[in-house]
Each structure stands twice: as structure tokens, then as C-alpha cells.
Amino acid sequence: MADVAARAGVSLKTVSRVVNDAPYVQPELAERVLAAVAELGFRRNHLASSLRSGQATATIGLLIEEIANPFYATIAGAAAEIARQRDTMLIIASSEEDPAREQQLLRDLCARRVDGLLVVPAGSPTGCDHSFLRAEVELGTSVVFLDRPPGNLRADTVLLDNRGGAREGVRSLVAAGHRRIAVLLDSIGVYTMRERLDGAQDALVEAGAPYDGRLVRDGVRDPAAAGRVVAELLDQPDPPTAFFSLNNRITLGVIEELYRRGSDAALLAFDDFELARLVPYPLTVIAYDTRALARTATELLFRRIDGDRSWPRTVVLPTELVARGLRR
């Protein structure tokens, strides 16, 4: 601003009034200031301005787990769309399911004085602790959690009906005559995985079907691992007649191995995915609206930023069973 003032031949106060759109600046002086601004490439520092004035920064942060995963990419896209409508910049960061990294990133976002945070918590066998955000919330930073609930912090949360969806899905397998149902999951430390596994167990107990812990495989991190687990299970003397994959990446590996073998095992999959209707294997997906999950959370965040001080709420969105794949 001092450089602009010197180039335009005006006072620093005049420059401040022009760049802040203050009234009653002589048109001739304003033109000189704006010409100097253009010539020097001056950009107003909104962060410094907000720190000085205590006003909003027109930025929000989104912390997700894995940017490459289509699920999180859809969440980021929907959140960015609403932020754009509010003339707000969205800053996206990825924790890679690391609680320590998650805490550092959230502290960094708060240090940048974002107006609010959208958080998908990292998975942890012992559960994540978000109590470190309490001071930020008390200072006015709005926080909404989505897909997974926070640990040790009361805050708005938007979830899917993971347990109910899994229960209905496994009920459909049981109704079709299946009793030996293998369940493949990423990590029992992740809230959504625990809820989906519990829903599957609910349906088996309800039907009086045997629960065989040897058919539950944890630590299936990617499609290649899923394929190996399916092969191992199918090679057993008494193989499962159905598989339940608890996320979309696991599903891809299961489909590949079942199709390669020409298996007639049934497949239930949590998470719909692009091109699911075209895969060369029949399956049933537990589907939901990912964009609705993100929109609900983002709209709730902006209501908080706008001054809503009502008691924190939890919103649970429904799932549905959908037939996918090419029927043989």
C-alpha cells in the first residue's frame, strides 16, 4: 500500500479508503490509486485484513481421507459447489487415515483462520480424540463432521445409515438361502466398517444363521488384497456362498476374482460406484447419495457460520438396495 501511495502521489490513508471501497473519495484520486494498483499488481491481503478487523476470512477447510477415492472426490466437489455459491474458498487436505496427521492439518487450518471446518475423521482402533478443537469452537470456528462422528467433542455430524443398510443387505442374502457369508473390510478401526459389520451380524443373529468369525477378514486395503482373500476363501473345503464387501475398492477386487473363476457366489457391496451396472457379474449394492451427504454437511456448516447457535445435531441419511452388474 505504501508503494501504491508513492506511485499515485496520495496518502496511505487514501489508498486504504480506495481499496476498501470507502465512500467520499474524490474520483480523480481514486482513478490515480486504481491505476497504480494495476501497474504494481497490488493484491489486497484478505487474511491480514480479517485478522486486524476480526471479520470472516471467506474460507472453509475440508479434511478428507484419500483424495484419489471417488467417494471423497464427490464430497469435495459438492462442498466446493456450495462454497462457490457463497463466494467462499474451499481448502482441501487429506489425512490418509493418520490421526496424528489429521490433528496437525486441522491445527494448520485453524491457524489460517478458516471460518469453518468440514471433517471426515481418520480411522483409529482406539478412536480419534477431537477435544483439541474445543478451544477453536469456543472461539467461534464452526465445525461439522461427516461420514464418521467425532471423538470427545460435541459437534454437528452427518452420517449414513451404515448399520441399517448392511442389515437390510444381509437380510436379502439370507432370504436367498445363503448362510455362509464372507465379510471383507478395510479396518475395524474405522467407524463405518464397524457399523457395517455390526449390521451384518444383526441380520445373521436375527435369522438364526451361524456366525463364523473365520469368514470375516479385516485389513483388506485394496482390490489386489481383496482378490487374494476371495481366492483363499473359495479354496477352502466349505467355501462361502456369498460375499459382502464393505467398501467400493474391496468390491472391485472381489468382482475380478469371482469373474475370473466363473464363480456363482452372490455378492453384496456397500457403496455404489461408477459403471457398477456394467460390470460382468451380478451384484447388489447398498447405495446412498454421496452428494447429499456433502451438501447436508456443508449447508449445516454455513448455517453455523451465519450465526445458528442451536444445540449440535446428528443427521442420518438413508441407504437403499440396488441391483447392479450384468445378469448372466
Short mmCIF file of all heavy atoms in Angstrom, two decimals, residues 172-236:
data_model
loop_
_atom_site.label_atom_id
_atom_site.label_comp_id
_atom_site.label_asym_id
_atom_site.label_seq_id
_atom_site.Cartn_x
_atom_site.Cartn_y
_atom_site.Cartn_z
N SER A 172 -31.25 -59.75 2.76
CA SER A 172 -31.59 -60.19 1.40
C SER A 172 -30.79 -61.43 1.02
O SER A 172 -31.29 -62.30 0.31
CB SER A 172 -31.35 -59.05 0.40
OG SER A 172 -29.97 -58.82 0.20
N LEU A 173 -29.53 -61.52 1.47
CA LEU A 173 -28.74 -62.72 1.20
C LEU A 173 -29.30 -63.93 1.93
O LEU A 173 -29.40 -65.03 1.37
CB LEU A 173 -27.28 -62.50 1.61
CG LEU A 173 -26.46 -61.49 0.80
CD1 LEU A 173 -25.07 -61.34 1.40
CD2 LEU A 173 -26.37 -61.91 -0.67
N VAL A 174 -29.68 -63.73 3.18
CA VAL A 174 -30.26 -64.82 3.97
C VAL A 174 -31.57 -65.28 3.35
O VAL A 174 -31.85 -66.48 3.25
CB VAL A 174 -30.47 -64.37 5.43
CG1 VAL A 174 -31.26 -65.42 6.21
CG2 VAL A 174 -29.12 -64.11 6.11
N ALA A 175 -32.39 -64.33 2.90
CA ALA A 175 -33.67 -64.68 2.27
C ALA A 175 -33.46 -65.49 1.00
O ALA A 175 -34.33 -66.28 0.60
CB ALA A 175 -34.46 -63.41 1.96
N ALA A 176 -32.30 -65.28 0.34
CA ALA A 176 -31.99 -66.03 -0.88
C ALA A 176 -31.38 -67.39 -0.57
O ALA A 176 -31.02 -68.13 -1.50
CB ALA A 176 -31.05 -65.21 -1.76
N GLY A 177 -31.25 -67.73 0.72
CA GLY A 177 -30.78 -69.05 1.11
C GLY A 177 -29.33 -69.12 1.54
O GLY A 177 -28.82 -70.21 1.82
N HIS A 178 -28.64 -68.01 1.63
CA HIS A 178 -27.21 -68.03 2.00
C HIS A 178 -27.04 -68.05 3.52
O HIS A 178 -27.71 -67.32 4.24
CB HIS A 178 -26.51 -66.81 1.41
CG HIS A 178 -26.53 -66.79 -0.09
ND1 HIS A 178 -25.71 -67.59 -0.85
CD2 HIS A 178 -27.28 -66.07 -0.97
CE1 HIS A 178 -25.94 -67.36 -2.14
NE2 HIS A 178 -26.89 -66.45 -2.23
N ARG A 179 -26.13 -68.90 3.97
CA ARG A 179 -25.81 -68.98 5.39
C ARG A 179 -24.32 -68.75 5.64
O ARG A 179 -23.94 -68.25 6.69
CB ARG A 179 -26.21 -70.35 5.94
CG ARG A 179 -27.73 -70.58 6.00
CD ARG A 179 -28.39 -69.60 6.96
NE ARG A 179 -29.81 -69.84 7.10
CZ ARG A 179 -30.74 -69.29 6.32
NH1 ARG A 179 -30.37 -68.49 5.32
NH2 ARG A 179 -32.01 -69.52 6.52
N ARG A 180 -23.49 -69.14 4.69
CA ARG A 180 -22.05 -68.90 4.82
C ARG A 180 -21.70 -67.66 4.01
O ARG A 180 -21.54 -67.70 2.78
CB ARG A 180 -21.25 -70.11 4.35
CG ARG A 180 -21.35 -71.28 5.31
CD ARG A 180 -20.44 -72.42 4.92
NE ARG A 180 -19.02 -72.07 4.87
CZ ARG A 180 -18.24 -71.88 5.93
NH1 ARG A 180 -18.75 -71.99 7.16
NH2 ARG A 180 -16.97 -71.58 5.78
N ILE A 181 -21.64 -66.53 4.73
CA ILE A 181 -21.44 -65.23 4.09
C ILE A 181 -20.11 -64.65 4.56
O ILE A 181 -19.93 -64.38 5.75
CB ILE A 181 -22.60 -64.26 4.43
CG1 ILE A 181 -23.93 -64.87 4.00
CG2 ILE A 181 -22.37 -62.90 3.78
CD1 ILE A 181 -25.16 -64.10 4.50
N ALA A 182 -19.18 -64.48 3.64
CA ALA A 182 -17.88 -63.89 3.98
C ALA A 182 -18.01 -62.37 3.98
O ALA A 182 -18.70 -61.79 3.14
CB ALA A 182 -16.83 -64.33 2.98
N VAL A 183 -17.35 -61.72 4.94
CA VAL A 183 -17.37 -60.26 5.05
C VAL A 183 -15.94 -59.74 4.96
O VAL A 183 -15.07 -60.16 5.73
CB VAL A 183 -18.01 -59.81 6.39
CG1 VAL A 183 -18.07 -58.29 6.46
CG2 VAL A 183 -19.40 -60.41 6.56
N LEU A 184 -15.69 -58.84 4.01
CA LEU A 184 -14.36 -58.28 3.79
C LEU A 184 -14.39 -56.79 4.13
O LEU A 184 -15.21 -56.05 3.58
CB LEU A 184 -13.92 -58.47 2.34
CG LEU A 184 -13.36 -59.84 1.93
CD1 LEU A 184 -14.41 -60.94 2.10
CD2 LEU A 184 -12.88 -59.80 0.50
N LEU A 185 -13.50 -56.36 5.01
CA LEU A 185 -13.48 -54.95 5.43
C LEU A 185 -12.07 -54.39 5.43
O LEU A 185 -11.08 -55.13 5.49
CB LEU A 185 -14.12 -54.78 6.80
CG LEU A 185 -13.49 -55.50 7.98
CD1 LEU A 185 -13.59 -54.63 9.24
CD2 LEU A 185 -14.22 -56.82 8.23
N ASP A 186 -12.01 -53.09 5.37
CA ASP A 186 -10.74 -52.37 5.31
C ASP A 186 -10.05 -52.40 6.66
O ASP A 186 -8.96 -52.94 6.82
CB ASP A 186 -11.03 -50.93 4.86
CG ASP A 186 -9.78 -50.10 4.73
OD1 ASP A 186 -8.73 -50.51 5.22
OD2 ASP A 186 -9.85 -49.01 4.14
N SER A 187 -10.68 -51.77 7.67
CA SER A 187 -10.08 -51.70 9.01
C SER A 187 -11.17 -51.59 10.05
O SER A 187 -12.05 -50.74 9.95
CB SER A 187 -9.15 -50.50 9.12
OG SER A 187 -8.74 -50.31 10.47
N ILE A 188 -11.12 -52.46 11.04
CA ILE A 188 -12.11 -52.42 12.12
C ILE A 188 -11.99 -51.13 12.93
O ILE A 188 -12.89 -50.75 13.67
CB ILE A 188 -11.95 -53.66 13.03
CG1 ILE A 188 -13.20 -53.87 13.87
CG2 ILE A 188 -10.71 -53.52 13.90
CD1 ILE A 188 -14.43 -54.22 13.08
N GLY A 189 -10.86 -50.41 12.75
CA GLY A 189 -10.69 -49.15 13.45
C GLY A 189 -11.51 -48.02 12.86
O GLY A 189 -11.63 -46.96 13.47
N VAL A 190 -12.08 -48.23 11.68
CA VAL A 190 -12.88 -47.19 11.02
C VAL A 190 -14.34 -47.34 11.43
O VAL A 190 -14.91 -48.44 11.35
CB VAL A 190 -12.74 -47.28 9.49
CG1 VAL A 190 -13.63 -46.26 8.79
CG2 VAL A 190 -11.28 -47.08 9.09
N TYR A 191 -14.94 -46.25 11.85
CA TYR A 191 -16.32 -46.27 12.35
C TYR A 191 -17.28 -46.92 11.36
O TYR A 191 -18.10 -47.77 11.74
CB TYR A 191 -16.76 -44.83 12.64
CG TYR A 191 -18.25 -44.65 12.82
CD1 TYR A 191 -18.86 -44.92 14.04
CD2 TYR A 191 -19.05 -44.22 11.75
CE1 TYR A 191 -20.24 -44.77 14.20
CE2 TYR A 191 -20.41 -44.07 11.91
CZ TYR A 191 -21.00 -44.34 13.12
OH TYR A 191 -22.37 -44.19 13.28
N THR A 192 -17.20 -46.54 10.08
CA THR A 192 -18.14 -47.08 9.10
C THR A 192 -17.99 -48.59 8.95
O THR A 192 -18.98 -49.31 8.76
CB THR A 192 -17.95 -46.39 7.74
OG1 THR A 192 -16.57 -46.45 7.37
CG2 THR A 192 -18.39 -44.94 7.79
N MET A 193 -16.76 -49.09 9.03
CA MET A 193 -16.54 -50.53 8.93
C MET A 193 -17.17 -51.26 10.11
O MET A 193 -17.81 -52.31 9.94
CB MET A 193 -15.04 -50.85 8.88
CG MET A 193 -14.30 -50.30 7.65
SD MET A 193 -14.75 -51.10 6.09
CE MET A 193 -15.77 -49.82 5.35
N ARG A 194 -17.01 -50.71 11.30
CA ARG A 194 -17.60 -51.35 12.49
C ARG A 194 -19.11 -51.38 12.39
O ARG A 194 -19.76 -52.39 12.71
CB ARG A 194 -17.17 -50.60 13.76
CG ARG A 194 -15.68 -50.70 14.07
CD ARG A 194 -15.40 -50.26 15.50
NE ARG A 194 -15.83 -48.89 15.77
CZ ARG A 194 -15.08 -47.81 15.56
NH1 ARG A 194 -13.87 -47.95 15.03
NH2 ARG A 194 -15.52 -46.60 15.86
N GLU A 195 -19.70 -50.27 11.96
CA GLU A 195 -21.16 -50.20 11.86
C GLU A 195 -21.69 -51.18 10.82
O GLU A 195 -22.71 -51.85 11.03
CB GLU A 195 -21.58 -48.78 11.48
CG GLU A 195 -21.44 -47.76 12.60
CD GLU A 195 -22.48 -47.99 13.69
OE1 GLU A 195 -23.68 -47.81 13.41
OE2 GLU A 195 -22.08 -48.37 14.81
N ARG A 196 -21.01 -51.31 9.71
CA ARG A 196 -21.47 -52.22 8.65
C ARG A 196 -21.31 -53.66 9.09
O ARG A 196 -22.17 -54.51 8.80
CB ARG A 196 -20.70 -51.91 7.36
CG ARG A 196 -21.03 -50.55 6.80
CD ARG A 196 -20.11 -50.10 5.66
NE ARG A 196 -20.36 -48.70 5.33
CZ ARG A 196 -19.73 -48.02 4.39
NH1 ARG A 196 -18.78 -48.61 3.66
NH2 ARG A 196 -20.02 -46.74 4.16
N LEU A 197 -20.22 -53.98 9.77
CA LEU A 197 -20.03 -55.34 10.28
C LEU A 197 -21.11 -55.66 11.32
O LEU A 197 -21.68 -56.75 11.32
CB LEU A 197 -18.64 -55.48 10.89
CG LEU A 197 -18.31 -56.84 11.49
CD1 LEU A 197 -18.42 -57.95 10.45
CD2 LEU A 197 -16.90 -56.83 12.10
N ASP A 198 -21.41 -54.71 12.19
CA ASP A 198 -22.45 -54.92 13.20
C ASP A 198 -23.81 -55.16 12.54
O ASP A 198 -24.60 -56.00 13.00
CB ASP A 198 -22.55 -53.72 14.14
CG ASP A 198 -21.39 -53.64 15.12
OD1 ASP A 198 -20.64 -54.63 15.23
OD2 ASP A 198 -21.21 -52.58 15.75
N GLY A 199 -24.09 -54.43 11.46
CA GLY A 199 -25.35 -54.63 10.76
C GLY A 199 -25.45 -56.01 10.16
O GLY A 199 -26.51 -56.65 10.20
N ALA A 200 -24.33 -56.51 9.60
CA ALA A 200 -24.31 -57.87 9.05
C ALA A 200 -24.56 -58.89 10.15
O ALA A 200 -25.34 -59.85 9.97
CB ALA A 200 -22.97 -58.12 8.36
N GLN A 201 -23.92 -58.71 11.28
CA GLN A 201 -24.10 -59.63 12.39
C GLN A 201 -25.53 -59.58 12.92
O GLN A 201 -26.11 -60.61 13.27
CB GLN A 201 -23.10 -59.30 13.51
CG GLN A 201 -21.66 -59.58 13.12
CD GLN A 201 -20.66 -59.10 14.16
OE1 GLN A 201 -20.99 -58.27 15.02
NE2 GLN A 201 -19.44 -59.61 14.08
N ASP A 202 -26.13 -58.38 12.96
CA ASP A 202 -27.53 -58.25 13.38
C ASP A 202 -28.43 -59.14 12.53
O ASP A 202 -29.31 -59.84 13.05
CB ASP A 202 -28.00 -56.80 13.24
CG ASP A 202 -27.38 -55.86 14.26
OD1 ASP A 202 -26.80 -56.35 15.24
OD2 ASP A 202 -27.48 -54.63 14.05
N ALA A 203 -28.23 -59.08 11.20
CA ALA A 203 -29.09 -59.84 10.29
C ALA A 203 -28.90 -61.34 10.46
O ALA A 203 -29.88 -62.11 10.41
CB ALA A 203 -28.79 -59.44 8.84
N LEU A 204 -27.67 -61.78 10.69
CA LEU A 204 -27.42 -63.21 10.88
C LEU A 204 -28.04 -63.71 12.18
O LEU A 204 -28.66 -64.78 12.22
CB LEU A 204 -25.91 -63.47 10.87
CG LEU A 204 -25.21 -63.28 9.52
CD1 LEU A 204 -23.70 -63.39 9.69
CD2 LEU A 204 -25.70 -64.30 8.51
N VAL A 205 -27.88 -62.94 13.25
CA VAL A 205 -28.46 -63.32 14.54
C VAL A 205 -29.98 -63.37 14.43
O VAL A 205 -30.64 -64.30 14.92
CB VAL A 205 -28.02 -62.34 15.64
CG1 VAL A 205 -28.82 -62.59 16.93
CG2 VAL A 205 -26.53 -62.48 15.91
N GLU A 206 -30.54 -62.37 13.79
CA GLU A 206 -31.99 -62.29 13.61
C GLU A 206 -32.53 -63.51 12.88
O GLU A 206 -33.62 -64.02 13.18
CB GLU A 206 -32.31 -61.02 12.82
CG GLU A 206 -33.74 -60.81 12.43
CD GLU A 206 -33.88 -59.61 11.51
OE1 GLU A 206 -33.95 -58.47 12.02
OE2 GLU A 206 -33.89 -59.80 10.28
N ALA A 207 -31.77 -64.01 11.89
CA ALA A 207 -32.21 -65.15 11.09
C ALA A 207 -31.83 -66.50 11.71
O ALA A 207 -32.20 -67.55 11.18
CB ALA A 207 -31.62 -65.05 9.69
N GLY A 208 -31.11 -66.45 12.82
CA GLY A 208 -30.65 -67.69 13.43
C GLY A 208 -29.58 -68.38 12.62
O GLY A 208 -29.35 -69.58 12.76
N ALA A 209 -28.91 -67.63 11.75
CA ALA A 209 -27.85 -68.19 10.92
C ALA A 209 -26.54 -68.20 11.70
O ALA A 209 -26.30 -67.33 12.54
CB ALA A 209 -27.69 -67.36 9.64
N PRO A 210 -25.68 -69.17 11.45
CA PRO A 210 -24.41 -69.24 12.19
C PRO A 210 -23.49 -68.09 11.82
O PRO A 210 -23.43 -67.68 10.66
CB PRO A 210 -23.83 -70.58 11.75
CG PRO A 210 -24.43 -70.83 10.40
CD PRO A 210 -25.81 -70.27 10.47
N TYR A 211 -22.79 -67.59 12.83
CA TYR A 211 -21.79 -66.55 12.59
C TYR A 211 -20.42 -67.19 12.72
O TYR A 211 -20.04 -67.69 13.78
CB TYR A 211 -21.94 -65.41 13.58
CG TYR A 211 -20.82 -64.39 13.50
CD1 TYR A 211 -20.74 -63.52 12.42
CD2 TYR A 211 -19.83 -64.33 14.47
CE1 TYR A 211 -19.71 -62.60 12.31
CE2 TYR A 211 -18.80 -63.41 14.39
CZ TYR A 211 -18.74 -62.54 13.31
OH TYR A 211 -17.72 -61.64 13.21
N ASP A 212 -19.68 -67.21 11.63
CA ASP A 212 -18.36 -67.83 11.60
C ASP A 212 -17.31 -66.72 11.48
O ASP A 212 -17.16 -66.11 10.42
CB ASP A 212 -18.26 -68.79 10.42
CG ASP A 212 -16.97 -69.61 10.43
OD1 ASP A 212 -16.05 -69.25 11.19
OD2 ASP A 212 -16.89 -70.60 9.68
N GLY A 213 -16.59 -66.47 12.57
CA GLY A 213 -15.60 -65.40 12.58
C GLY A 213 -14.49 -65.61 11.57
O GLY A 213 -13.83 -64.65 11.15
N ARG A 214 -14.28 -66.87 11.12
CA ARG A 214 -13.24 -67.14 10.13
C ARG A 214 -13.60 -66.58 8.76
O ARG A 214 -12.73 -66.47 7.88
CB ARG A 214 -13.01 -68.65 10.04
CG ARG A 214 -12.39 -69.26 11.29
CD ARG A 214 -12.39 -70.76 11.22
NE ARG A 214 -13.76 -71.29 11.12
CZ ARG A 214 -14.05 -72.58 11.00
NH1 ARG A 214 -13.07 -73.48 10.96
NH2 ARG A 214 -15.31 -72.99 10.93
N LEU A 215 -14.87 -66.26 8.56
CA LEU A 215 -15.31 -65.69 7.29
C LEU A 215 -15.25 -64.16 7.28
O LEU A 215 -15.59 -63.54 6.28
CB LEU A 215 -16.73 -66.15 6.97
CG LEU A 215 -16.92 -67.65 6.73
CD1 LEU A 215 -18.38 -67.96 6.43
CD2 LEU A 215 -16.02 -68.14 5.60
N VAL A 216 -14.82 -63.57 8.39
CA VAL A 216 -14.69 -62.11 8.47
C VAL A 216 -13.21 -61.77 8.33
O VAL A 216 -12.38 -62.21 9.14
CB VAL A 216 -15.23 -61.56 9.81
CG1 VAL A 216 -15.00 -60.05 9.89
CG2 VAL A 216 -16.71 -61.89 9.95
N ARG A 217 -12.88 -61.02 7.30
CA ARG A 217 -11.47 -60.69 7.03
C ARG A 217 -11.24 -59.19 7.11
O ARG A 217 -11.80 -58.42 6.34
CB ARG A 217 -11.06 -61.22 5.66
CG ARG A 217 -11.15 -62.74 5.56
CD ARG A 217 -10.24 -63.43 6.59
NE ARG A 217 -10.35 -64.87 6.56
CZ ARG A 217 -9.62 -65.67 5.79
NH1 ARG A 217 -8.71 -65.12 4.97
NH2 ARG A 217 -9.78 -66.96 5.83
N ASP A 218 -10.42 -58.80 8.07
CA ASP A 218 -10.05 -57.40 8.29
C ASP A 218 -8.75 -57.10 7.53
O ASP A 218 -8.03 -58.01 7.11
CB ASP A 218 -9.85 -57.18 9.79
CG ASP A 218 -9.70 -55.72 10.17
OD1 ASP A 218 -9.88 -54.85 9.29
OD2 ASP A 218 -9.39 -55.44 11.34
N GLY A 219 -8.45 -55.82 7.35
CA GLY A 219 -7.19 -55.42 6.73
C GLY A 219 -7.15 -55.59 5.24
O GLY A 219 -6.07 -55.67 4.65
N VAL A 220 -8.31 -55.64 4.57
CA VAL A 220 -8.36 -55.76 3.11
C VAL A 220 -8.30 -54.35 2.55
O VAL A 220 -9.31 -53.67 2.43
CB VAL A 220 -9.63 -56.50 2.65
CG1 VAL A 220 -9.61 -56.71 1.15
CG2 VAL A 220 -9.77 -57.83 3.39
N ARG A 221 -7.11 -53.87 2.20
CA ARG A 221 -6.88 -52.46 1.93
C ARG A 221 -7.12 -52.03 0.49
O ARG A 221 -7.34 -50.86 0.22
CB ARG A 221 -5.44 -52.09 2.29
CG ARG A 221 -5.03 -52.44 3.70
CD ARG A 221 -5.67 -51.55 4.73
NE ARG A 221 -5.19 -51.84 6.07
CZ ARG A 221 -5.63 -51.25 7.17
NH1 ARG A 221 -6.55 -50.32 7.06
NH2 ARG A 221 -5.14 -51.57 8.35
N ASP A 222 -7.05 -52.98 -0.46
CA ASP A 222 -7.14 -52.59 -1.86
C ASP A 222 -7.70 -53.74 -2.69
O ASP A 222 -7.87 -54.86 -2.18
CB ASP A 222 -5.78 -52.14 -2.38
CG ASP A 222 -4.69 -53.18 -2.13
OD1 ASP A 222 -4.95 -54.38 -2.36
OD2 ASP A 222 -3.58 -52.81 -1.71
N PRO A 223 -7.98 -53.51 -3.98
CA PRO A 223 -8.55 -54.57 -4.81
C PRO A 223 -7.67 -55.82 -4.89
O PRO A 223 -8.19 -56.94 -4.90
CB PRO A 223 -8.68 -53.89 -6.18
CG PRO A 223 -8.87 -52.44 -5.86
CD PRO A 223 -7.98 -52.20 -4.68
N ALA A 224 -6.36 -55.65 -4.95
CA ALA A 224 -5.47 -56.81 -5.04
C ALA A 224 -5.59 -57.69 -3.80
O ALA A 224 -5.66 -58.93 -3.90
CB ALA A 224 -4.02 -56.36 -5.23
N ALA A 225 -5.62 -57.06 -2.63
CA ALA A 225 -5.77 -57.82 -1.38
C ALA A 225 -7.13 -58.52 -1.34
O ALA A 225 -7.24 -59.66 -0.89
CB ALA A 225 -5.62 -56.89 -0.19
N ALA A 226 -8.16 -57.85 -1.83
CA ALA A 226 -9.50 -58.45 -1.86
C ALA A 226 -9.51 -59.69 -2.73
O ALA A 226 -10.09 -60.73 -2.37
CB ALA A 226 -10.51 -57.43 -2.37
N GLY A 227 -8.85 -59.62 -3.89
CA GLY A 227 -8.79 -60.77 -4.77
C GLY A 227 -8.11 -61.96 -4.12
O GLY A 227 -8.55 -63.11 -4.24
N ARG A 228 -7.03 -61.70 -3.40
CA ARG A 228 -6.31 -62.77 -2.72
C ARG A 228 -7.16 -63.43 -1.63
O ARG A 228 -7.16 -64.65 -1.48
CB ARG A 228 -5.00 -62.23 -2.12
CG ARG A 228 -3.95 -61.85 -3.15
CD ARG A 228 -2.61 -61.62 -2.50
NE ARG A 228 -2.62 -60.49 -1.57
CZ ARG A 228 -2.35 -59.24 -1.92
NH1 ARG A 228 -2.06 -58.94 -3.18
NH2 ARG A 228 -2.37 -58.27 -1.02
N VAL A 229 -7.89 -62.60 -0.88
CA VAL A 229 -8.74 -63.14 0.19
C VAL A 229 -9.87 -63.98 -0.39
O VAL A 229 -10.19 -65.06 0.12
CB VAL A 229 -9.30 -62.00 1.05
CG1 VAL A 229 -10.36 -62.52 2.02
CG2 VAL A 229 -8.18 -61.32 1.83
N VAL A 230 -10.49 -63.50 -1.46
CA VAL A 230 -11.56 -64.27 -2.10
C VAL A 230 -11.04 -65.62 -2.58
O VAL A 230 -11.68 -66.67 -2.39
CB VAL A 230 -12.18 -63.48 -3.27
CG1 VAL A 230 -13.13 -64.36 -4.09
CG2 VAL A 230 -12.92 -62.26 -2.76
N ALA A 231 -9.87 -65.63 -3.21
CA ALA A 231 -9.28 -66.87 -3.70
C ALA A 231 -9.04 -67.85 -2.55
O ALA A 231 -9.33 -69.05 -2.66
CB ALA A 231 -7.97 -66.57 -4.43
N GLU A 232 -8.50 -67.34 -1.46
CA GLU A 232 -8.23 -68.19 -0.29
C GLU A 232 -9.52 -68.78 0.26
O GLU A 232 -9.59 -69.98 0.58
CB GLU A 232 -7.53 -67.36 0.78
CG GLU A 232 -7.26 -68.11 2.07
CD GLU A 232 -6.78 -67.20 3.19
OE1 GLU A 232 -6.24 -66.12 2.89
OE2 GLU A 232 -6.98 -67.57 4.36
N LEU A 233 -10.57 -67.98 0.37
CA LEU A 233 -11.84 -68.45 0.92
C LEU A 233 -12.51 -69.47 0.01
O LEU A 233 -13.07 -70.47 0.48
CB LEU A 233 -12.76 -67.27 1.18
CG LEU A 233 -12.37 -66.35 2.34
CD1 LEU A 233 -13.20 -65.06 2.32
CD2 LEU A 233 -12.53 -67.06 3.68
N LEU A 234 -12.46 -69.23 -1.28
CA LEU A 234 -13.09 -70.15 -2.22
C LEU A 234 -12.35 -71.49 -2.30
O LEU A 234 -12.95 -72.51 -2.69
CB LEU A 234 -13.18 -69.52 -3.61
CG LEU A 234 -14.19 -68.38 -3.76
CD1 LEU A 234 -14.12 -67.80 -5.16
CD2 LEU A 234 -15.61 -68.85 -3.45
N ASP A 235 -11.08 -71.50 -1.94
CA ASP A 235 -10.30 -72.73 -1.98
C ASP A 235 -10.48 -73.58 -0.73
O ASP A 235 -9.92 -74.69 -0.65
CB ASP A 235 -8.81 -72.41 -2.17
CG ASP A 235 -8.50 -71.93 -3.59
OD1 ASP A 235 -9.32 -72.22 -4.50
OD2 ASP A 235 -7.48 -71.25 -3.78
N GLN A 236 -11.23 -73.09 0.24
CA GLN A 236 -11.47 -73.87 1.45
C GLN A 236 -12.43 -75.02 1.17
O GLN A 236 -13.23 -74.96 0.22
CB GLN A 236 -12.04 -72.97 2.55
CG GLN A 236 -11.07 -71.93 3.08
CD GLN A 236 -11.67 -71.07 4.18
OE1 GLN A 236 -12.87 -71.16 4.46
NE2 GLN A 236 -10.86 -70.24 4.79
#
